[in-house]
Amino acid sequence: MSQSVPMVQYLLDANVVIPFQRAGSLKALVAAANCVPMAIVDDVLDELTLPRKPTDPVTRLMTEADRELRGSSIELIEVLAGSEEDATRGALMALVDRGEAASIAVASRRLDLVFVTEDVRAVQGKPRLYRELPGEVGRIMGLHAFLRVLVERGALSATLASAVAVSRDLDPPLWWAGWTASLPP
């Protein structure tokens, strides 16, 4: 008996949300979630909204993330203490930070989630976290591919996608320049 593949939901890492903030487009990401299903784990939300140390100040970007993300259509997924996800997160934290570990732990049990991250540890080096994700299709996606999904589904303008991509200060994939040039003005 074959199992149907559920609709895809994009699980966002902090390093994908931050470029939207840097480009002044966090509201656009939140609005795009009304067209393209998105989620974020509680540990990633904490990375975006809480100081790393108790003595660190709460920044403007933290306040903005808290205000815009909480209560938005971006699903907040909690990793409950004592759950299977919690055990997996604990095992992965020796390799990556808490947000990535929690995201992979959740995505490893939900075939509908595609983890969107720019953390190279997720795809290369010792952790190669993609191995933790069962399924038939690529379950980890980079920022540029995610931006393309948003534009092609009419959830984000090409202009905003380019501004977000530039704010990340990464070398774009080889297809990026040709794809953006092919878009209508």
Side-chain angles (χ1 to χ4, degrees):
M1 177 183 228
S2 67
Q3 189 178 17
S4 66
V5 177
M7 185 171 77
V8 170
Q9 186 175 27
Y10 297 93
L11 183 62
L12 308 178
D13 195 4
N15 59 29
V16 170
V17 175
I18 291 168
F20 280 89
Q21 287 184 291
R22 287 182 182 152
S25 300
L26 185 58
K27 286 184 181 190
L29 174 65
V30 168
N34 292 318
C35 302
V36 177
M38 296 178 212
I40 193 167
V41 296
D42 52 355
D43 289 327
V44 170
L45 185 61
D46 289 349
E47 288 178 352
L48 292 165
T49 61
L50 300 174
R52 290 188 187 259
K53 297 183 283 187
T55 57
D56 290 344
V58 173
T59 68
R60 178 189 59 78
L61 292 177
M62 290 174 188
T63 302
E64 176 194 35
D66 193 54
R67 180 183 65 245
E68 297 298 329
L69 297 173
R70 290 189 198 278
S72 74
S73 60
I74 298 174
E75 179 188 359
L76 178 60
I77 301 173
E78 286 187 71
V79 177
L80 301 174
S83 66
E84 290 181 15
E85 292 87 353
D86 184 38
T88 302
R89 172 182 60 191
L92 291 172
M93 282 179 48
L95 304 171
V96 293
D97 74 29
R98 189 173 182 91
E100 278 91 17
S103 296
I104 292 295
V106 168
S108 71
R109 287 170 180 76
R110 284 190 43 189
L111 293 177
D112 63 318
L113 294 175
V114 173
F115 183 35
V116 185
T117 184
E118 282 296 315
D119 190 328
V120 295
R121 296 172 298 175
V123 292
Q124 62 188 3
K126 185 178 178 185
R128 293 192 308 265
L129 297 178
Y130 65 87
R131 298 181 303 173
E132 300 296 331
L133 299 177
E136 297 179 11
V137 297
R139 305 267 318 282
I140 293 183
M141 173 184 279
L143 175 64
H144 291 85
F146 179 62
L147 291 169
R148 184 172 181 163
V149 166
L150 295 179
V151 171
E152 290 179 350
R153 292 197 190 166
L156 190 70
S157 72
T159 303
L160 277 179
S162 293
V164 170
V166 167
S167 77
R168 180 68 176 118
D169 196 29
L170 293 174
D171 290 328
L174 296 175
W175 55 263
W176 183 260
W179 175 73
T180 54
S182 73
L183 296 172

